[in-house]
Amino acid sequence: MFKKEMIAMLLAGGQGSRLGVLTAKVAKPAVAFGGKYRIIDFPLSNCINSGIDTVGVLTQYQPLRLNTHIGIGIPWDLDRNVGGVSILPPYEKSSNSEWYTGTANAIYQNMNYMETYNPDYVLILSGDHIYKMDYEVMLDFHKANKADVTIAAMPVPMEEASRFGIVVADNDGKIKDFEEKPEKPSSNLASMGIYIFSWQVLKEALIQLKDQPNCDFGKHIIPYCHEKGDRLFAYEYNGYWKDVGTLSSYWEANMELIDIIPEFNLYEEFWKIYTNSANIPPQYIAEQGVVDRCIISNGSEIYGEVHSSVLGGSVMVGKGSVIRDSIIMQGVRIGENCVIDKAIIAEDTVIGDNVVIGIGSEVPNRTKPNIYSGGLATIGENSVIPAGVQIGKNTAISGVTTAEDYSDGVLSSGETLIKAGDRV
Amino acid sequence: MRAVGIILAGGNSRKMQELTARRAVAAMPIAGSYRAIDFALSNMTNSHIQKVAVLTQYNARSLNEHLNSSKWWDFGRKQGGLFVFTPTITADNGYWYRGTADAIYQNLDFLRKCHEPYVIITSGDAVYKMDYNKVLEYHIAKKADITVVCKELAPGDDATRFGTIRMNEAARIEEFEEKPMVAHSQTVSTGIYVIRRRQLIDLVEHCAEEERHDFVTDILIRYKNLKKIYGYKINSYWSNISTVDAYYRTNMDFLRQDVRDYFFRELPSVFSKVSDQPPAKYNPGAVVKNSLVGSGSIINGTVENSVVFKKVFVGNNCVIKNSIILNDVYLGDNTYIENCIVESRDTIRANTRHVGENGVKIVVEKNERYAL
């Protein structure tokens, strides 16, 4: 029988609806980040860098991009004879087939997968955080405390603590209590959604709660273990960790990468982030090109100006165009003499000449003010923006748009323009 | 599949000066992201040739490291694969490869065991894209014994470092001079050959019996009146990199949009080993004009008309002009580099000045690296 000390289960099935048009066609973990990467690259790279070579990736929402990205795991060295990466979608069973209804339910439905590897410990991860963490150190902590469950937690400013799931622990890290988004938090240790379970404890809890609707780790499994008197410990983590669940936090996390010495440093040799990248050619900066405080990925060609931005691979920036404070993903083509301020432009979108993005005043988005905020203009993948139009702030665009979609050639701040159909 | 591939990557070139002190010519970095052999390997895989032997002997460490996995070129297959053959001492042979024909002779078992009827032979030191199947079809149509791919050099280009060729109207090769003192023709051999496998085995065995070792002088030139040797002209981009000058010019060619489009955008793609470097980073103060920049580089200074490879650090107020900076070079603040090729993994101290006065200067500095 195979034996793996610890295997990882990576929850990658969520839509991430707060990323708006960015996740209209892909699951959040497959959204591009930091130029050449996708969000899931960070937990996957952490796994292999921590010596975990068996990773189950649970997918459900729009998994195509995720599946092609992960493949058989070659970029992360997760193509293994025993173990490696396995994609685990929901599947039909002889009775009682269902989707993954909650994080713990998804894990429960893959009990057989975990049993195959006969693990001592199971690491539960989510595919939507940007961080570097050595899970092996966390496992050592788990073992040293003879813990049943270890929850990674990080200190957050006290005034923000009421936005998180808070763990209250004593000096040794033993967890005394939980508070879910408390009004008056009694601790500032926020749970990061990273758990190590001793296998028997996890198995027992999953079986006990198998009939719990929408069974969730934070809401059901952890409280169950706590009430039962299991040894729960908080593993305090003090490095860089960023939830990129909203457009604003996603934009900020990208922008942090262009600081002179970024807090989250991709250039360190000893903890590399791996990704599946088809872009091999170098980038070209033309005679009249300007590159100032930005990161640009392989294969891009810059004929215009790029300031304070993050560019993916094979991006074309035409002559006379000026890009500022923006995230431009792989394969985007930007015409000539465009001015783009504070925009997020998803993959393979085509922007015509003389387009202006990010003008006007900050009017809240009319349909989804909570999603499209922060003054960002967000354009979904494979969209087309016709030449000469102007686009305001807090806007969202997706699909092939034509000049007729813009009254007087303008999409004013706060508007949303979603068209069906892909670019052909 | 109809053909197997052989890439002759054993060579050293004294004309590359210090650059090949560290590596075989086939392992020379090209165009910011590649190594020379990537072009031949990618052509092989794009021509659906699945079984490829790379023959190497000189300073092969860099090359072996580059070829440590065949998956980047899609060769790691049950049917076929990438074979790297260095000379080995056996019961009947105690020599290094004494020439190209000898290199093939020493690995004749590889050819004997194949079942594919044809062999494509190419060198590992040229930058080009080619569908070898087209040459193979030509070879079959001509009923040729050997087909030599040749290139018409531009008037004024130095043909004397190549084998020069003259063909008749039917494209049969009538004259073939290896590295002549005076070139009578601007048509040169590219070192790409198509030959029937059995034919190659016979010729190479015969050569070995006569203690001859070179494929060009002892087979092509010697047999040109006996065997039907035809020329096939390549009209697309082809550049051999085996002198410092040619190497420099080939890299600089990639600053031209047509060359970039041809190699970087048009299909089929050129593959290379994936290096897992982060995107290139431009800090405030970076001025980059008409230059290629590889991934993982961090630019703080000025770069003009240059090719900067992967993982290069350019310090504050540096000025780099008309130069090639190879992989993993660290340039301290206020460095001035003009008309140079800076060897990979070099560390250039702050305030250094290197200018190639008469032609390209090769910079090899082995300073300790403190920063990064």
Side-chain angles (χ1 to χ4, degrees):
Chain A
M1 198 175 184
F2 297 139
K3 173 82 190 164
K4 296 277 180 185
E5 186 185 27
M6 180 155 81
I7 64 170
M9 298 296 273
L10 176 46
L11 296 157
Q15 177 182 2
S17 54
R18 287 175 302 161
L19 289 180
V21 290
L22 297 187
T23 51
K25 286 169 200 151
V26 296
K28 179 157 78 170
V31 170
F33 184 87
K36 68 181 288 197
Y37 304 99
R38 296 186 189 281
I39 295 170
I40 198 169
D41 292 335
F42 296 88
L44 279 178
S45 300
N46 286 339
C47 280
I48 198 68
N49 289 336
S50 306
I52 299 169
D53 65 5
T54 307
V55 183
V57 179
L58 297 102
T59 62
Q60 172 156 289
Y61 174 80
Q62 295 271 30
L64 178 60
R65 176 81 50 81
L66 210 47
N67 291 345
T68 35
H69 182 66
I70 295 172
I72 59 167
I74 286 175
W76 305 271
D77 255 351
L78 285 171
D79 51 324
R80 298 292 167 123
N81 287 334
V82 178
V85 67
S86 304
I87 307 246
L88 305 170
Y91 55 95
E92 192 178 338
K93 300 163 196 76
S94 50
S95 64
N96 190 28
S97 297
E98 56 175 354
W99 294 99
Y100 294 154
T101 58
T103 52
N105 174 269
I107 303 290
Y108 170 73
Q109 290 197 39
N110 287 289
M111 196 74 98
N112 286 341
Y113 171 79
M114 294 184 286
E115 299 259 31
T116 317
Y117 295 104
N118 192 20
D120 293 330
Y121 308 97
V122 176
L123 170 68
I124 309 288
L125 301 168
S126 60
D128 45 10
H129 298 140
I130 307 297
Y131 63 108
K132 295 180 188 174
M133 185 195 263
D134 192 338
Y135 303 130
E136 208 172 1
V137 177
M138 183 172 165
L139 179 62
D140 290 342
F141 176 87
H142 181 88
K143 288 181 194 165
N145 287 308
K146 298 195 168 55
D148 296 310
V149 186
T150 298
I151 302 174
M154 67 182 298
V156 293
M158 208 61 184
E159 57 272 20
E160 285 179 34
S162 52
R163 283 178 31 220
F164 294 93
I166 294 296
V167 296
V168 186
D170 64 17
N171 288 340
D172 300 329
K174 186 149 197 297
I175 295 175
K176 293 183 292 189
D177 205 1
F178 292 93
E179 295 167 356
E180 186 61 27
K181 298 188 177 148
E183 265 177 51
K184 289 208 177 105
S186 38
S187 146
N188 68 335
L189 269 187
S191 165
M192 298 160 67
I194 299 165
Y195 313 103
I196 289 177
F197 283 87
S198 294
W199 167 234
Q200 292 305 332
V201 174
L202 176 66
K203 188 174 168 182
E204 193 266 344
L206 288 173
I207 292 171
Q208 282 298 318
L209 296 179
K210 70 178 158 54
D211 296 320
Q212 169 71 42
N214 303 331
C215 191
D216 183 90
F217 276 99
K219 291 196 194 99
H220 306 113
I221 299 286
I222 300 290
Y224 168 82
C225 293
H226 186 48
E227 277 159 32
K228 180 158 74 85
D230 283 346
R231 289 172 66 82
L232 271 59
F233 280 80
Y235 170 72
E236 192 173 319
Y237 172 79
N238 285 299
Y240 183 95
W241 179 84
K242 198 89 177 181
D243 181 282
V244 288
T246 66
L247 283 174
S248 300
S249 64
Y250 170 78
W251 180 81
E252 273 166 28
N254 271 283
M255 290 304 136
E256 282 167 4
L257 296 174
I258 57 181
D259 293 342
I260 295 184
I261 311 264
E263 196 189 339
F264 188 73
N265 194 344
L266 294 169
Y267 297 80
E268 288 168 341
E269 273 299 302
F270 70 94
W271 202 270
K272 267 195 183 182
I273 306 299
Y274 300 97
T275 187
N276 188 353
S277 166
N279 291 308
I280 292 170
Q283 54 203 275
Y284 175 73
I285 316 294
E287 187 67 43
Q288 64 277 29
V290 174
V291 279
D292 160 41
R293 229 180 140 268
C294 55
I295 59 175
I296 301 178
S297 311
N298 266 347
S300 291
E301 302 223 340
I302 312 297
Y303 291 86
E305 296 185 18
V306 181
H307 303 273
S308 308
S309 295
V310 173
L311 269 64
S314 296
V315 171
M316 301 285 156
V317 178
K319 253 181 227 162
S321 289
V322 180
I323 297 172
R324 282 189 210 96
D325 305 316
S326 296
I327 300 165
I328 315 287
M329 295 183 197
Q330 176 175 307
V332 171
R333 275 183 284 153
I334 295 171
E336 297 183 358
N337 304 314
C338 296
V339 178
I340 297 175
D341 277 300
K342 225 181 166 188
I344 301 174
I345 303 178
E347 282 151 44
D348 298 316
T349 288
V350 177
I351 311 247
D353 296 342
N354 306 308
V355 169
V356 181
I357 300 177
I359 52 153
S361 53
E362 257 202 55
V363 182
N365 189 276
R366 284 202 305 152
T367 45
K368 291 175 178 168
N370 298 328
I371 292 178
Y372 303 111
S373 60
L376 291 161
T378 310
I379 301 176
E381 62 179 59
N382 275 301
S383 302
V384 173
I385 309 294
V389 299
Q390 304 196 318
I391 295 164
K393 299 186 170 104
N394 296 326
T395 48
I397 299 176
S398 152
V400 179
T401 65
T402 57
E404 290 84 61
D405 298 320
Y406 300 81
S407 56
D408 301 327
V410 178
L411 184 79
S412 31
S413 294
E415 296 295 321
T416 305
L417 174 57
I418 309 281
K419 292 202 78 184
D422 273 330
R423 183 166 60 84
V424 280
Chain B
M1 193 43 234
R2 288 184 300 172
V4 294
I6 292 180
I7 299 177
L8 300 169
N12 166 27
S13 171
R14 227 165 285 142
K15 290 182 185 149
M16 293 294 271
Q17 302 169 26
E18 296 94 321
L19 289 175
T20 49
R22 288 211 197 150
R23 57 178 93 72
V25 183
M28 285 301 295
I30 302 282
S33 289
Y34 304 90
R35 288 186 185 263
I37 199 169
D38 288 335
F39 294 88
L41 285 171
S42 301
N43 288 335
M44 290 285 177
T45 194
N46 290 330
S47 304
H48 310 292
I49 294 168
Q50 293 176 327
K51 198 184 287 177
V52 175
V54 177
L55 307 185
T56 137
Q57 93 176 348
Y58 174 79
N59 218 344
R61 192 199 58 82
S62 258
L63 190 63
N64 288 339
E65 204 174 290
H66 189 62
L67 302 180
N68 71 351
S69 168
S70 54
K71 63 187 163 197
W72 312 119
W73 304 272
D74 227 355
F75 282 126
R77 301 292 139 198
K78 289 189 178 179
Q79 302 191 345
L82 185 65
F83 300 81
V84 181
F85 293 132
T86 43
T88 50
I89 291 171
T90 63
D92 359 289
N93 177 53
Y95 295 103
W96 293 90
Y97 296 154
R98 284 164 293 180
T100 42
D102 187 45
I104 295 171
Y105 178 74
Q106 287 194 31
N107 296 290
L108 218 49
D109 274 349
F110 167 77
L111 283 179
R112 285 205 189 95
K113 271 189 249 161
C114 293
H115 59 85
E116 291 84 349
Y118 294 97
V119 183
I120 312 282
I121 301 173
T122 178
S123 67
D125 58 0
V127 174
Y128 67 109
K129 267 185 178 184
M130 175 174 258
D131 182 352
Y132 297 127
N133 289 316
K134 293 212 172 111
V135 192
L136 182 53
E137 276 156 30
Y138 175 90
H139 177 85
I140 294 168
K142 285 277 182 193
K143 297 189 169 62
D145 289 310
I146 304 174
T147 299
V148 180
V149 177
C150 27
K151 173 81 184 169
E152 187 74 35
L153 292 185
D157 279 1
D158 175 24
T160 58
R161 67 188 181 97
F162 299 104
T164 59
I165 283 173
R166 246 204 286 221
M167 296 181 258
N168 66 15
E169 298 84 59
R172 184 156 175 186
I173 292 176
E174 293 189 322
E175 273 182 43
F176 195 128
E177 281 186 282
E178 179 67 353
K179 301 190 176 76
M181 291 305 287
V182 178
H184 291 296
S185 161
Q186 282 299 94
T187 310
V188 300
S189 162
T190 60
I192 305 165
Y193 317 111
V194 177
I195 182 169
R196 206 155 45 76
R197 186 171 55 90
R198 293 273 7 144
Q199 175 87 270
L200 177 64
I201 292 172
D202 288 347
L203 287 172
V204 166
E205 275 181 332
H206 202 70
C207 243
E209 278 165 23
E210 296 179 330
E211 288 285 311
R212 294 173 187 271
H213 309 298
D214 190 64
F215 189 81
V216 175
T217 48
D218 299 329
I219 294 179
L220 288 181
I221 294 176
R222 213 152 157 265
Y223 282 86
K224 72 175 184 299
N225 301 325
L226 181 68
K227 298 281 183 185
K228 284 176 289 178
I229 304 183
Y230 282 86
Y232 174 98
K233 277 204 180 169
I234 169 176
N235 296 316
S236 46
Y237 186 96
W238 175 87
S239 179
N240 178 289
I241 58 152
S242 61
T243 68
V244 170
D245 228 34
Y247 175 71
Y248 178 82
R249 267 189 291 109
T250 306
N251 275 289
M252 290 302 171
D253 278 347
F254 282 83
L255 297 180
R256 277 162 42 197
Q257 186 167 11
D258 58 320
V259 175
R260 279 201 313 279
D261 284 349
Y262 180 61
F263 284 103
F264 297 169
R265 318 239 167 267
E266 278 175 36
L267 294 175
S269 308
V270 183
F271 304 103
S272 186
K273 183 179 171 177
V274 170
S275 63
D276 293 302
Q277 292 296 327
K281 188 160 185 276
Y282 302 92
N283 286 329
V287 176
V288 183
K289 302 213 169 293
N290 188 35
S291 296
L292 285 170
V293 179
S295 52
S297 290
I298 300 176
I299 313 286
N300 294 289
T302 301
V303 180
E304 282 177 23
N305 308 318
S306 296
V307 179
V308 175
F309 281 72
K310 292 183 259 196
K311 220 183 143 202
V312 170
F313 181 88
V314 178
N316 293 319
N317 302 315
C318 286
V319 176
I320 297 163
K321 283 182 181 170
N322 308 323
S323 294
I324 295 172
I325 315 291
L326 298 184
N327 294 306
D328 194 12
V329 167
Y330 183 93
L331 299 168
D333 294 351
N334 312 314
T335 300
Y336 185 92
I337 307 267
E338 187 176 348
N339 222 10
C340 291
I341 298 174
V342 181
E343 177 60 288
S344 58
R345 290 190 291 284
D346 260 7
T347 300
I348 310 287
R349 296 239 170 94
N351 308 312
T352 311
R353 187 182 164 88
H354 285 291
V355 179
E357 303 283 358
N358 313 304
V360 181
K361 176 176 173 184
I362 297 172
V363 178
V364 185
E365 287 200 5
K366 290 176 182 163
N367 296 317
E368 292 279 334
R369 189 175 300 185
Y370 305 108
L372 266 181

